[in-house]
Amino acid sequence: MSSATTPSGTSWHFEGWDPANLDTMSVQNLLQGAVGPRPVALASTINRHGEVNLSPFSFFNVFSANPPVLIFSPALRVRDGSSKHTLRNVMEIPEVVIQVVPFALVEQVSLASSEYADGVNEFQKVGLTAWPSLKVAPPRVAESPVQMECKVMEVKPLGTEGGAGNLVICEVVYFHVAREVLLPTGSIDPYAVDAVARLGGDWYTRSSMGLFEVEKPLRTCGIGVDALPKWLQEYGTLDGNRLARLGNQPSIPNIERCKEIFQEQFTAPTFEPSSPEGRSELVLRISLLLEQGQTEQALALAMMGKDG
Ligand SMILES: Cc1cc2nc3c(=O)[nH]c(=O)nc-3n(C[C@H](O)[C@H](O)[C@H](O)COP(=O)(O)O)c2cc1C
């Protein structure tokens, strides 16, 4: 067993497994717990007789904007290696509508994952409304605020036994987005769309809860954590997130500016900034300034602590 202590002081004591020594269920449990929250695709498909199917898939994501490509993966059943209706349908009619699942629909969508017999229409089983699509044959789900009509470009099997995924690689040929979930910028509002995402076990989360923003890294690269004074990196009080926020600053203020900011922050300091006491004072103030979004000021104080 190996262990590590992170800059924030958390200790991890690792267990390890080679998947070759685990059964498929255990591997699946590890993967689903490790890779989450995962967005959920509600996929509607039809077979060659025109029978409609609706099922959720959380092995799903976006992979390209030009062309616009989504991939989801209906796996062969772990139990007996059999194919799901969705997989069979896209092999017969290579078209699918993928809808986003808002919290308001999550239990209907979960019900749609039941193994209904061949030919059973899950729209009817779970009480959702089928609307005709514009460019593809499978219908779309009227209750979902985001519906993406897709042509299947390729189906790539990843194995032949139970648990093997099948990548259904889909090109979006038409977007339907409810005006109510659009921001004036044309982006989708995470609060309004309230999309659910799946984790391990029976856990879900939703996009309207616990949201926070992280400013994108600068187009010109930030100075980096390694450009911060060593004392600050080693001090152990600023966690990795705060260090990285300082490291995302475009440049280090010059010494005159650092002194000026120091004087603004501490009008009559009773400490020497490089002393242990001074560093404690600096770190407290740096944390406060970072909370207030005054990152340049925080960086200037960090530089006043001096190494050595
Ligand atoms: C939220 C959710 C996500 C799911 N994700 C997947 C998935 O990514 N791949 C998969 O094979 N099954 C997944 N399932 C299970 C399928 O939905 C289920 O096997 C369903 O019966 C398949 O339906 P079909 O045979 O009508 O295609 C998921 C179920 C739920 C509730």
Side-chain angles (χ1 to χ4, degrees):
M1 188 166 74
S2 58
S3 65
T5 303
T6 69
S8 320
T10 311
S11 294
W12 303 119
H13 302 90
F14 289 96
E15 307 281 344
W17 297 277
D18 180 335
N21 300 328
L22 296 176
D23 61 62
T24 307
M25 258 341 274
S26 306
V27 174
Q28 181 155 309
N29 283 339
L30 280 176
L31 290 170
Q32 290 182 338
V35 185
R38 298 181 302 284
V40 178
L42 180 58
S44 61
T45 54
I46 58 164
N47 65 13
R48 62 174 177 272
H49 307 297
E51 292 167 334
V52 170
N53 192 88
L54 186 65
S55 296
F57 295 94
S58 69
F59 289 5
F60 162 63
N61 221 304
V62 52
F63 289 87
S64 167
N66 183 18
V69 173
L70 305 172
I71 301 182
F72 69 99
S73 174
L76 303 182
R77 288 197 180 82
V78 175
R79 194 178 60 235
D80 57 9
S82 59
S83 297
K84 300 188 175 180
H85 290 136
T86 305
L87 177 61
R88 285 192 251 152
N89 287 0
V90 293
M91 305 290 271
E92 290 179 12
I93 309 286
E95 296 182 340
V96 53
V97 186
I98 292 180
Q99 14 270 310
V100 165
V101 178
F103 176 73
L105 302 186
V106 68
E107 300 203 30
Q108 284 166 291
V109 168
S110 176
L111 183 61
S113 75
S114 314
E115 282 186 33
Y116 288 115
D118 282 4
V120 171
N121 180 339
E122 283 95 354
F123 275 91
Q124 286 158 11
K125 274 283 161 214
V126 307
L128 290 171
T129 314
W131 269 3
S133 297
L134 282 184
K135 297 197 168 191
V136 298
R140 54 200 171 108
V141 178
E143 288 82 356
S144 167
V146 182
Q147 309 149 357
M148 294 171 281
E149 297 186 18
C150 304
K151 301 264 188 198
V152 174
M153 302 164 82
E154 187 186 338
V155 178
K156 169 129 187 72
L158 299 176
T160 53
E161 297 187 9
N166 294 278
L167 304 184
V168 182
I169 305 174
C170 312
E171 178 169 356
V172 180
V173 293
Y174 204 86
F175 290 97
H176 303 268
V177 182
R179 209 174 290 147
E180 291 72 12
V181 303
L182 280 175
L183 293 167
T185 55
S187 302
I188 291 176
D189 178 349
Y191 287 100
V193 78
D194 201 8
V196 298
R198 203 169 196 210
L199 297 98
D202 289 340
W203 292 101
Y204 287 82
T205 185
R206 53 198 280 198
S207 72
S208 64
M209 308 278 257
L211 288 182
F212 58 92
E213 291 180 281
V214 175
E215 211 180 313
K216 283 192 194 68
L218 303 157
R219 261 173 212 274
T220 54
C221 291
I223 57 171
V225 170
D226 59 349
L228 299 174
K230 292 281 171 289
W231 74 267
L232 190 65
Q233 293 180 51
E234 285 157 13
Y235 195 82
T237 309
L238 277 193
D239 62 24
N241 284 335
R242 292 194 176 98
L243 287 174
R245 208 177 308 159
L246 292 172
N248 193 34
Q249 283 296 103
S251 59
I252 296 175
N254 66 35
I255 187 65
E256 293 313 316
R257 178 83 182 119
C258 290
K259 284 183 183 158
E260 191 183 304
I261 290 172
F262 180 77
Q263 272 159 13
E264 277 166 22
Q265 293 295 322
F266 301 99
T267 34
T270 55
F271 56 85
E272 158 55 38
S274 295
S275 67
E277 185 211 349
R279 287 178 175 178
S280 306
E281 293 287 338
L282 287 180
V283 164
L284 281 177
R285 190 60 63 92
I286 289 168
S287 300
L288 186 70
L289 288 168
L290 287 174
E291 288 309 312
Q292 295 170 342
Q294 300 189 60
T295 315
E296 191 212 354
Q297 282 81 351
L299 179 58
L301 293 193
M303 301 319 290
M304 290 299 288
K306 294 203 193 81
D307 284 325

